[in-house]
Amino acid sequence: MGIPLASEARLGPLADRAPTVATLCSHSSLQIFHGARAEGLPTLGIAVGTPPRFYDAFPRARPDRFLSVARVSELPQAADALRDAGAVLVPHGSFVEYLGAEAFGRLDVPIFGNRAVLAWESDRRKEREWLESAGVSMPRRYEDASEVDGPVIVKYYGAKGGKGFYLAKNREALAEFRPTGPYVIQEYVLGTRYYMHFFYSPLSDRGYRVGHGSLELLGMDRRDEANIDELYKLGSEEELLKAGIRPTFVVTGNVPVVLRESLLGSAFDVAARIVERSIELFGGMVGPFCVEGIMTEELEFKVFEISTRIVAGTNLFISGSPYSDLMEPGLSTGRRIAQELRRGQAQGRLAEVVS
Ligand code: AMP
């Protein structure tokens, strides 16, 4: 038996009935509903205002029913209705961001995975503490600009993956940086980016064993980021700066990638360390998570971020990936979530995968 994450009271509404897979209609919800249907679980889409009409165009992913709220912030008021429906909320990036990590963590409705992870992921400092204490290599963080000895990326607090990152090739270039808020200076790692979609199952007793359960690799992508991806076409940095053009890292899409097979061992090693440390720190990260990093030319993987839930890059693999196909044909992350819920209930171990 593993670690219980939910009290009996929290699981009360799920006694003797199949959990209803519920999520906010956005991000990866079509995949989540599609996976739940494939596993025979009921589905409920939370819509802001009128349910989006385009769901009608995807009959295999349309939720069985919708629950509408006027604003995402009003979701806590719908907690009774969600519990009555036997809902288990599946967090995704937009769901947590729109509601706020704190409010999400306080929802009095069963949530898939360990809600304690929210506090560790939403604060960049705590996230670094977790990863570094797990022995994971990360881009160096400079406490002071005078220590800088190579290219750096300056990130404002809270500015996840977006505008406002500042790149400097060296200390001299960094001296021209005029901050407009609190920020961190990080080593700019040269190499190639990989976003690895893992899944940790505390229920599984086979495969790549970690903790009491096992670790699975379900897919891998690289994010398209505007305008940085195509910036080189416009000429040198000097010319760009003269024209007032600054790099931005706004995610606009995803492309599928695979890793050199000989590097899979170190990818699993990094993910396993992150899971093992999460078990020690807060009872474990359960379900999907994404390790986001850069493979250098020395073949060292440096992790700049983790997402502790399903990421939108998994939408590439609704009908399976080159990795998940080696476990089960047609296995998406959405479907894997539904399997975990179904197995948790069948084995009387829902408390280990729901919080
Ligand atoms: P983040 O908000 O930390 O997810 O970063 C957004 C994007 O910035 C990433 O997808 C990368 O393209 C880039 N990035 C972040 N940190 C680094 C780093 N230390 N070195 C190089 N690129 C980075």
Side-chain angles (χ1 to χ4, degrees):
M1 265 317 231
I3 302 163
L5 308 173
S7 63
E8 272 180 35
R10 166 93 6 99
L11 294 180
L14 300 174
D16 306 321
R17 73 205 277 200
T20 293
V21 173
T23 196
L24 184 71
C25 292
S26 180
H27 191 269
S28 46
S29 65
L30 287 167
Q31 182 197 158
I32 293 167
F33 297 136
H34 173 258
R37 285 179 87 107
E39 290 297 317
L41 293 182
T43 50
L44 184 151
I46 301 164
V48 177
T50 316
R53 215 186 118 207
F54 70 83
Y55 277 69
D56 294 343
F58 302 110
R60 294 172 66 207
R62 193 179 188 278
D64 299 328
R65 58 202 173 104
F66 289 97
L67 182 146
S68 288
V69 290
R71 270 175 232 96
V72 179
S73 58
E74 286 175 16
L75 200 63
Q77 284 103 283
D80 290 346
L82 288 165
R83 279 196 311 271
D84 289 348
V88 173
L89 298 179
V90 176
H92 57 60
S94 306
F95 201 169
V96 175
E97 182 159 333
Y98 297 163
L99 189 58
E102 223 177 286
F104 195 91
R106 277 200 310 265
L107 280 178
D108 189 11
V109 183
I111 291 177
F112 179 70
N114 186 354
R115 63 177 79 207
V117 78
L118 289 162
W120 287 86
E121 187 221 24
S122 57
D123 176 337
R124 279 199 199 258
R125 247 170 312 188
K126 280 191 90 167
E127 184 185 278
R128 182 171 277 267
E129 187 187 321
W130 167 13
L131 300 188
E132 285 193 331
S133 66
V136 171
S137 175
M138 295 187 75
R140 182 171 164 195
R141 186 184 155 156
Y142 296 101
E143 295 305 328
D144 194 275
S146 64
E147 298 166 12
V148 168
D149 56 2
V152 292
I153 178 165
V154 184
K155 301 179 179 183
Y156 286 106
Y157 286 179
K160 285 207 165 191
K163 300 182 177 181
F165 283 10
Y166 184 90
L167 295 184
K169 286 207 178 92
N170 49 36
R171 195 173 357 172
E172 288 68 45
L174 183 62
E176 283 162 35
F177 171 59
R178 302 281 170 269
T180 54
Y183 60 91
V184 291
I185 306 171
Q186 203 176 80
E187 166 195 10
Y188 187 88
V189 182
L190 291 170
T192 30
R193 290 173 294 127
Y194 295 92
Y195 300 74
M196 304 173 182
H197 317 150
F198 283 97
F199 190 99
Y200 178 64
S201 166
L203 305 181
S204 172
D205 59 3
R206 63 191 81 165
Y208 187 101
R209 309 285 293 141
V210 174
H212 291 291
S214 69
L215 183 63
E216 300 164 8
L217 178 63
L218 296 179
M220 214 177 283
D221 79 295
R222 176 167 306 142
R223 293 183 187 157
D224 279 334
E225 293 174 328
N227 58 22
I228 186 78
D229 288 353
E230 305 285 335
L231 210 54
Y232 68 95
K233 290 180 181 165
L234 273 181
S236 73
E237 191 193 9
E238 251 184 326
E239 289 167 321
L240 291 170
L241 282 179
K242 259 192 225 149
I245 299 170
R246 289 231 152 259
T248 58
F249 296 79
V250 178
V251 179
T252 56
N254 306 80
V255 287
V257 291
V258 289
L259 197 64
R260 238 170 96 170
E261 188 172 306
S262 58
L263 296 174
L264 283 176
S266 57
F268 268 90
D269 180 58
V270 167
R273 284 165 184 270
I274 295 172
V275 171
E276 275 159 3
R277 188 69 183 129
S278 77
I279 294 170
E280 291 164 3
L281 288 174
F282 54 86
M285 173 170 56
V286 166
F289 66 99
C290 182
V291 181
E292 307 171 7
I294 297 169
M295 194 64 79
T296 68
E297 60 190 305
E298 288 83 27
L299 303 182
E300 186 190 10
F301 191 61
K302 293 207 180 183
V303 177
F304 57 80
E305 177 87 89
I306 59 165
S307 293
T308 59
R309 59 191 70 83
I310 185 169
V311 289
T314 61
N315 287 338
L316 287 163
F317 306 118
I318 288 181
S319 49
S321 83
Y323 298 110
S324 72
D325 278 351
L326 305 179
M327 288 177 268
E328 182 182 320
L331 181 64
S332 70
T333 297
R335 184 163 186 176
R336 187 65 191 82
I337 292 170
Q339 287 181 345
E340 197 72 354
L341 281 170
R342 221 170 31 74
R343 287 175 197 164
Q345 194 171 51
Q347 296 173 17
R349 296 173 69 186
L350 257 190
E352 293 172 53
V353 297
V354 166
S355 62

